[in-house]
Amino acid sequence: GCLPISIIGLLVETTHLSLVTPVGWWLLVYSTVVQFCIAYVSWFAALARLPASVAAIGTMAVPVIGVVASAIALGEPLGAGQIAALVFTLAAVVLATR
């Protein structure tokens, strides 16, 4: 999965680790370790407390949450095509939960 791609990326790309600031290192650690751990702990806690079909709703809603969050936080464009895709995704979530 990810390991071969990471190795190929390291071989192909030129890395300048000396240019990464201390804030950059902290953000890297935070995004890879802290968020990763929080995500897995939250997911398994949800699975322990909810039926898998209900917990899966959160997984199916991730693309919608990501697009809306990037539009709000980063000012990414949210046009008619994206909105239609979000509506279809949410409709699929509703159909899958019935």
Side-chain angles (χ1 to χ4, degrees):
C2 291
L3 186 60
I5 293 171
S6 299
I7 292 171
I8 292 170
L10 288 172
L11 294 173
V12 174
E13 295 292 326
T14 304
T15 56
H16 300 286
L17 298 178
S18 62
L19 298 177
V20 180
T21 64
V23 172
W25 284 112
W26 279 109
L27 290 172
L28 179 66
V29 169
Y30 173 77
S31 66
T32 56
V33 176
V34 176
Q35 286 184 338
F36 187 71
C37 292
I38 289 171
Y40 269 101
V41 168
S42 299
W43 173 248
F44 286 116
L47 282 179
R49 290 169 178 79
L50 301 169
S53 60
V54 174
I57 294 170
T59 300
M60 292 186 286
V62 166
V64 176
I65 295 166
V67 169
V68 172
S70 67
I72 293 169
L74 303 174
E76 292 289 327
L78 192 58
Q82 288 87 3
I83 292 171
L86 295 177
V87 169
F88 284 127
T89 303
L90 289 175
V93 170
V94 170
L95 288 174
T97 57
R98 290 184 171 220

